[in-house]
């Protein structure tokens, strides 16, 4: 284990043009729930057994009240950028009009970031769909894509030129598959006939929003954030290899291929008709609207074996694993970036999330998370290796600025480079936070 993060001396990631940041998401940190509409995650949290510790996002890290000190904290880490998400139910009323109090909350944050010369990377949808839209079918309702476009239209006008980069969606795979197929994320709907339909409407929402952003905010970099869990076969058997390609198309390529090739992977034809999305004329052209950047989130890989009924099954991840059970396998990060670069004609990439949940202990005011430092060291070097192989990566964001509400895991899993005591809301920079700062400030 190491107590430092270091890159080779000739690394392009040591250039001051390379952007380093920290990332968060609205529902995971804000709290302030009485000042906004209810969202699908509020409902999900209220449903018994859905969230591991029975918790919710009503207070979370109380960032709604503590945002000023949190911006100071971000600044103290020496980062170039902060990736935050906008809570749709905070800024839009049920009538579809702007909620000015909610807008002001974010305008104040954007102003504070500007005054500190920190670039704002704004994600417009990080999973907190207003509940009133879910009541009308949520992402299974095509109309939601147009509601998203209208929200993006209003909010991007309100934000003017204070945003450096907009991402339409965070990880549509998670919204669609985990939320509407596996049912382990909000809104908790289960069934293979739902996942790809939700995915199509999410991607449509992305494309519609890109057009609006190009008009309202031509000077910002506008794109999308996708997550990738690269797929590896359990053995060299052809059946396992084929199963792995199928899984990769189903989980990963499904979300990127429409953006850059204007079509879904060919496995679509192998899905039963009732599992396929309804694609209307012109949809794929909307979805493949050019993007200025691709945001890539990476945490781990997955290993597959062939299965006669289900095409593939995922096997349990081998050691070493993080506290959330995800295998630590940085090589997959390099291989992912290189392979995406080969497969598609990509704009510059930002690594919009990467990080690890570890079983942190706050002892005498210190969190000595050398395991997390190791993770960052190895994964930053994996990105560096991909850049050496020709991939254009312009920035990297640590997930996360601070411990927060980790979705179905509640507050049990800590991803922060800053420790949060949820009883007192005291923040303590972990050793990994100090190491990250040192890397950035020593460039
Ligand atoms: C990603 C999410 C993010 C966080 C990390 C651990 O899938 O985008 O909000 O929960 O995983």
């Amino acid at each position: 284990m190491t107590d430092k993060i270091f890159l080779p001396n000739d690394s392009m990631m040591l250039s001051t043009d390379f952007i380093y940041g920290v990332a968060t998401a609205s529902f995971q940190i804000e709290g302030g729930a009485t000042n906004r509409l209810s969202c699908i995650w509020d409902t999900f949290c209220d449903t018994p057994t859905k969230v591991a510790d029975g918790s919710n996002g009503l207070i979370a890290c109380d960032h709604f009240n503590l945002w000023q000190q949190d911006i100071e904290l971000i600044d103290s880490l020496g980062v170039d950028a902060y990736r935050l998400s906008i809570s749709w139910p905070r800024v839009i009323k049920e009538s579809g009009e702007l909620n000015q109090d909610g807008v002001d909350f974010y305008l104040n944050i954007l102003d504070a970031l500007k005054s500190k010369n920190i670039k704002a990377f704004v994600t417009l949808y990080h999973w907190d769909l207003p509940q009133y839209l879910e009541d009308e079918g949520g992402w299974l309702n095509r109309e939601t894509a147009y509601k998203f476009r209208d929200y993006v239209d209003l909010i991007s006008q309100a934000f003017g030129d204070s945003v450096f980069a907009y991402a339409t969606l965070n990880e549509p795979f998670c919204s669609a598959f985990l939320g509407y197929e596996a049912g382990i994320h909000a809104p908790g709907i289960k069934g293979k006939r739902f996942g790809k339909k939700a995915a199509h409407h999410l991607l449509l929402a992305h494309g519609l929003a890109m057009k609006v952003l190009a008009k309202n905010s031509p000077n910002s970099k506008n794109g999308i954030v996708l997550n990738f869990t690269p797929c590896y076969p359990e053995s060299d058997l052809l059946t396992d290899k084929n199963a792995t390609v199928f899984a990769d198309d189903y989980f990963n390529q499904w979300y990127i291929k429409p953006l850059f090739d204007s079509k879904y992977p060919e496995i679509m034809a192998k899905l039963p008709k009732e599992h396929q999305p309804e694609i209307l004329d012109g949809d794929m052209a909307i979805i493949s609207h050019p993007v200025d950047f691709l945001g890539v989130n990476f945490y781990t890989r997955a290993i597959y074996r062939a299965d006669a009924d289900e095409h593939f099954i995922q096997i349990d991840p081998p050691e070493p694993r993080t506290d959330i059970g995800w295998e630590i396998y940085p090589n997959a990060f390099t291989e992912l970036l290189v392979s995406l670069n080969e497969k598609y004609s990509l704009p510059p990439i930002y690594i919009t999330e990467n990080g690890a949940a570890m079983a942190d202990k706050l002892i005498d005011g210190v969190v000595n998370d050398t395991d997390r430092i190791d993770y960052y060291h190895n994964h930053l070097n994996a990105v560096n290796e991909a850049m050496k192989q020709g991939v254009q990566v312009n920035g990297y964001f640590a997930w996360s600025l601070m411990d927060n509400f980790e979705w179905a895991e509640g507050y049990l899993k800590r991803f922060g480079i800053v420790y949060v005591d949820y009883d007192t809301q005291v923040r303590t920079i972990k050793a990994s936070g100090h190491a990250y700062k040192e890397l950035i400030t020593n460039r």
Side-chain angles (χ1 to χ4, degrees), residues 23-26 30 82-88 106 110 120-128 148 151-152 155 159 163 165-172 213 223-225 293 297 352-353 397 399:
T24 64
S26 47
E30 283 179 4
Y82 174 44
R83 174 173 177 245
L84 69 153
S85 83
I86 306 304
S87 162
W88 182 353
Y106 293 111
L110 293 172
F121 278 65
V122 165
T123 303
L124 292 158
Y125 183 70
H126 201 128
W127 309 354
D128 36 6
F148 179 71
Y151 143 61
V152 171
I155 200 71
F159 287 169
V163 173
Y166 277 111
T168 52
L169 306 177
N170 177 70
E171 303 187 348
L213 290 171
I224 187 170
V225 170
F293 74 92
N297 293 355
T352 32
E353 284 180 32
F397 291 77
W399 182 271

Side-chain angles (χ1 to χ4, degrees), residues 23-24 28 83 126-127 170-171 174 225-230 296-302 320-322 324-333 336 351-357 375-376 379 396-401 404 406-407 415:
T24 64
Q28 293 180 277
R83 174 173 177 245
H126 201 128
W127 309 354
N170 177 70
E171 303 187 348
C174 291
V225 170
L226 302 180
N227 63 302
F228 295 91
T229 304
V296 171
N297 293 355
F298 173 88
Y299 290 93
T300 188
R301 69 162 173 170
R321 289 179 236 150
T322 63
I324 201 167
W326 300 349
E327 186 193 359
I328 303 175
Y329 193 77
N331 242 345
F333 204 178
L336 165 72
I351 307 304
T352 32
E353 284 180 32
N354 179 232
Y375 183 97
Y376 277 117
H379 286 77
Y396 175 97
F397 291 77
W399 182 271
S400 177
L401 164 66
N404 57 49
E406 178 45 37
W407 309 112
F415 272 94

Side-chain angles (χ1 to χ4, degrees), residues 160-205:
D161 61 0
S162 51
V163 173
F164 180 82
Y166 277 111
T168 52
L169 306 177
N170 177 70
E171 303 187 348
F173 157 80
C174 291
S175 301
F177 180 79
L178 301 180
Y180 291 87
E181 186 165 331
I184 56 174
H185 274 191
I189 290 171
K190 241 190 206 150
K192 287 201 173 152
R193 59 194 190 285
F194 302 126
K196 298 301 189 211
K197 291 194 172 69
H200 185 65
H201 295 148
L202 280 150
L203 290 170
L204 184 66

